[in-house]
Amino acid sequence: MLYAMLAYHVEAEVTSWTPEEDAALMTELLAVHDRLNAKKLLGPAARLGATAEARTLRGPGAGMVIDGPFAETKEQLLGLYVLNCADEEEAIGIARDLRRVNPSAVYEIRPIRLYLPGEALPETSNEPGQG
């Protein structure tokens, strides 16, 4: 089953890191990514741009474009992973691995319900790395 893992962090803290601090964290995260890749569990992952550059569309009709992230929270959504895990327990275990090397981050884990108009739904199974 595919799971989305959303990575929340206090943006001001992340942007305060020196290039060396950021590189050190990325080295540790990449070691976790390598383990996930070896097990064929890791799908797309991204570090998102600044929340000041985010826009939210909400409201009736054509909607209204609002500057910034969609919710007022202490942490902001700064990245995401797509993982192909056997079950929620495995996804939570991966979140724990990521958090061990990035302890100030918050990881939200959600099953993905994918719908792409005009596209076949991807086949997913309960077997890790298959899908």
Side-chain angles (χ1 to χ4, degrees), residues 36-43 82-86 90 94 128-129:
L36 297 174
N37 277 326
K39 294 178 182 178
K40 299 188 185 314
L41 296 176
L42 184 61
V82 174
L83 301 159
N84 189 6
C85 299
E90 183 176 26
I94 290 168

Side-chain angles (χ1 to χ4, degrees), residues 62-118:
M64 178 173 53
V65 176
I66 302 166
D67 289 347
F70 114 98
E72 293 294 324
T73 63
K74 194 176 224 183
E75 298 92 8
Q76 291 80 34
L77 176 62
L78 298 184
L80 63 98
Y81 296 89
V82 174
L83 301 159
N84 189 6
C85 299
D87 54 30
E88 183 180 73
E89 184 178 323
E90 183 176 26
I92 291 169
I94 290 168
R96 286 187 173 124
D97 285 344
L98 292 166
R99 192 144 197 273
R100 268 190 276 285
V101 300
N102 192 6
S104 59
V106 174
Y107 292 96
E108 178 180 339
I109 302 151
R110 287 194 212 173
I112 292 177
R113 304 292 185 251
L114 185 63
Y115 171 69
L116 300 172

